[in-house]
Amino acid sequence: MNWRMWKPILSAFLLAVALSGCSRDKSGEVEVLHWWTSGGEARSVAELKKMLEERGDTWKDFAVAGGGGETAMTVLKSRVVSGNPPTAAQVKGPGIQEWAREGVLANLDDTAKAGDWDNLLPDVVSNVMKYDGHYVAVPVNVHRVNWMWANPEVFAKAGAEVPTTWEAFAVAADKIQKAGFIAIAHGGQPWQDATLFESIALGTGGAEWYRKAFVDLDQDALNSPTMKKSFETLRMVQQYIDKDAANRDWNLATAMVINGKAAMQFMGDWAKGEFTAAGKTPGTDYVCAPAPGTDGAFTFNIDSFIMFEQKDDAAKTAQAHLAEAIMDPKFQEIFNLNKGSIPVRLGMDLSKFDQCAKDSAAQFASASTNKTLVPSWAHEMAMPPANKGAMFDVVTAFMNSPDMTAAAATEKMAAAGK
Ligand code: BGC
């Protein structure tokens, strides 16, 4: 072979070496803090890992167990304080703004611009992802919190109907208990108590009052007969929770509904991820319905990731890859099919999604027109973390102190909102 024949082969070889060097330079490791450890959650996060690795980066898993993410947030604080933040962390709502104010977050504007996020995200979402007009977080999904998950076989055996009001709930729950089943699957943990109370309050006071109380922290709305009524209803509902609920994890409560020990659970649609992981079909094996009194309203909970500022170029590129992967339509579909939520990206084809997801998407749209779309305070979306923590304490103290009156709890809620 002479030089003329070798030349193209040699150039192709050199180009391949150069390219592989390039991609090596560009790939980086991303350490991702999250609290997705249940069956359905783990299946979902595995898809994110896969999408990142397809972009040539390495995923370092930093999972901190604990539903609702309170433990994860404590661990995150200690890592940042010790000067060793992860590359990315699952953080939501006003918590995003708090981290941004510390000046430790990476600016994601370039990735957002390239991906046209401003046009692909509803305003109610992009507003939360921005600090001072700049993107500092990337949204994953939209969870609806005010759901009730029911086992239709248990209802049928008890001769009860899936309730649409809290009065009808009491009738159904009595029948279910008489038939020898547990009426409500619940875990006695502050965030689960708050999740239950949040749905009761929305069903009692409606979206306008809810917004005044839990978003505006309006003292008149907090210290009101509606709040008192909500606590009275919580006391009634509480009777139908079994004695072993203390500290039970939410996914174990979901399992009780899946296997027919309990009739219903009040939980956001990450619970659907557990039904999906167990191979169950909505409509036949289980039923999703709005929590009593909340049809037409929607408490939203958006999972999102913040990225901590990096010095290293490879780490910065990997962060951009992660943000880009999260907004990729392929990821939005597969992740949300497993997670139980709906895609956050507008204009997605929902044909592969089940009826619960389709209902959720329809209600998200109509609630946003009707002003009945409200942020979930039990899931960090509505108020500063300090107020949220104080309200969690009140609800949990009420649940654990049979002698505390609804009036006393109402006063404490108002104090927690200050
Ligand atoms: C998160 C969900 C998660 C759930 C249970 C919620 O606050 O938004 O993604 O599945 O907690 O851990």
Side-chain angles (χ1 to χ4, degrees):
M1 248 190 241
N2 63 25
W3 167 240
R4 281 161 76 94
M5 291 172 80
W6 270 107
K7 200 176 157 194
I9 298 170
L10 188 65
S11 331
F13 175 72
L14 289 176
L15 184 67
V17 169
L19 283 180
S20 71
C22 256
S23 70
R24 233 197 339 269
D25 281 342
K26 277 196 179 151
S27 66
E29 182 185 84
V30 184
E31 187 184 22
V32 187
L33 177 135
H34 62 89
W35 65 89
W36 289 330
T37 54
S38 77
E41 291 174 335
R43 278 159 53 111
S44 315
V45 80
E47 295 296 339
L48 184 54
K49 178 175 180 218
K50 202 157 93 195
M51 293 284 277
L52 187 78
E53 287 173 348
E54 275 169 20
R55 284 163 168 78
D57 302 294
T58 316
W59 173 279
K60 188 171 173 201
D61 202 48
F62 185 6
V64 180
E70 268 192 291
T71 319
M73 291 305 95
T74 309
V75 173
L76 176 63
K77 271 182 208 135
S78 70
R79 277 284 297 265
V80 179
V81 167
S82 66
N84 181 26
T87 330
Q90 187 189 349
V91 169
K92 299 189 296 189
I96 296 173
Q97 317 298 317
E98 291 207 341
W99 281 112
R101 261 194 297 278
E102 297 293 318
V104 289
L105 298 191
N107 180 320
L108 304 177
D109 281 349
D110 287 348
T111 312
K113 199 153 179 234
D116 201 19
W117 293 6
D118 270 342
N119 288 316
L120 288 172
L121 294 174
D123 287 348
V124 71
V125 177
S126 55
N127 291 342
V128 183
M129 303 302 134
K130 286 180 185 172
Y131 175 71
D132 237 358
H134 300 286
Y135 277 99
V136 292
V138 53
V140 182
N141 57 1
V142 180
H143 271 302
R144 186 186 192 193
V145 181
N146 57 313
W147 278 119
M148 173 172 67
W149 304 93
N151 183 317
E153 210 181 296
V154 174
F155 271 86
K157 282 184 186 155
E161 274 179 36
V162 175
T164 56
T165 63
W166 288 108
E167 291 76 28
F169 162 86
V171 176
D174 274 335
K175 289 187 181 167
I176 291 160
Q177 276 196 342
K178 283 203 187 98
F181 299 98
I182 294 166
I184 305 181
H186 182 76
Q189 294 173 346
W191 74 274
Q192 291 189 59
D193 296 343
T195 301
L196 173 62
F197 182 64
E198 174 178 287
S199 283
I200 293 176
L202 178 67
T204 306
E208 205 185 317
W209 169 78
Y210 176 106
R211 194 175 294 109
K212 274 194 204 131
F214 300 116
V215 182
D216 303 341
L217 301 179
D218 177 272
Q219 281 296 310
D220 291 340
L222 285 169
N223 205 347
S224 64
T226 308
M227 185 67 83
K228 187 167 159 262
K229 174 104 196 294
S230 305
F231 275 109
E232 282 160 3
T233 305
L234 178 61
R235 197 54 101 213
M236 176 277 286
V237 169
Q238 186 182 19
Q239 310 167 49
Y240 300 103
I241 295 172
D242 67 305
K243 282 191 211 64
D244 300 327
N247 211 25
R248 176 189 287 140
D249 285 330
W250 68 272
N251 53 319
L252 300 182
T254 311
M256 291 163 65
V257 180
I258 294 177
N259 63 32
K261 262 184 98 174
M264 54 195 139
Q265 181 184 22
F266 297 97
M267 189 48 69
D269 42 21
W270 46 93
K272 201 185 73 187
E274 301 305 300
F275 285 98
T276 307
K280 303 293 181 191
T281 311
T284 44
D285 299 325
Y286 67 99
V287 170
C288 57
T294 71
D295 192 16
F298 191 118
T299 29
F300 67 89
N301 170 25
I302 297 160
D303 286 312
S304 49
F305 284 93
I306 55 172
M307 315 266 171
F308 286 89
E309 192 133 50
Q310 304 290 314
K311 290 202 188 75
D312 179 47
D313 278 346
K316 283 187 192 163
T317 309
Q319 282 182 325
H321 285 167
L322 181 67
E324 178 193 291
I326 289 173
M327 280 291 287
D328 188 314
K330 235 174 71 195
F331 169 77
Q332 287 280 315
E333 180 178 85
I334 187 83
F335 178 89
N336 287 303
L337 282 170
N338 284 300
K339 188 72 173 59
S341 37
I342 54 172
V344 70
R345 189 184 160 116
L346 294 169
M348 288 275 303
D349 171 12
L350 295 183
S351 54
K352 287 199 187 137
F353 285 79
D354 60 31
Q355 198 52 45
C356 303
K358 287 181 181 141
D359 288 354
S360 178
Q363 294 242 333
F364 183 74
S366 63
S368 116
T369 317
N370 301 336
K371 307 220 179 321
T372 51
L373 181 66
V374 289
S376 162
W377 62 269
H379 292 275
E380 314 269 350
M381 300 300 302
M383 59 180 83
N387 298 97
K388 184 223 80 175
M391 290 201 186
F392 271 32
D393 290 349
V394 177
V395 176
T396 289
F398 181 78
M399 296 273 286
N400 294 332
S401 330
D403 294 340
M404 191 193 286
T405 62
T410 299
E411 270 175 34
K412 287 186 201 299
M413 253 346 224
K418 280 191 181 148

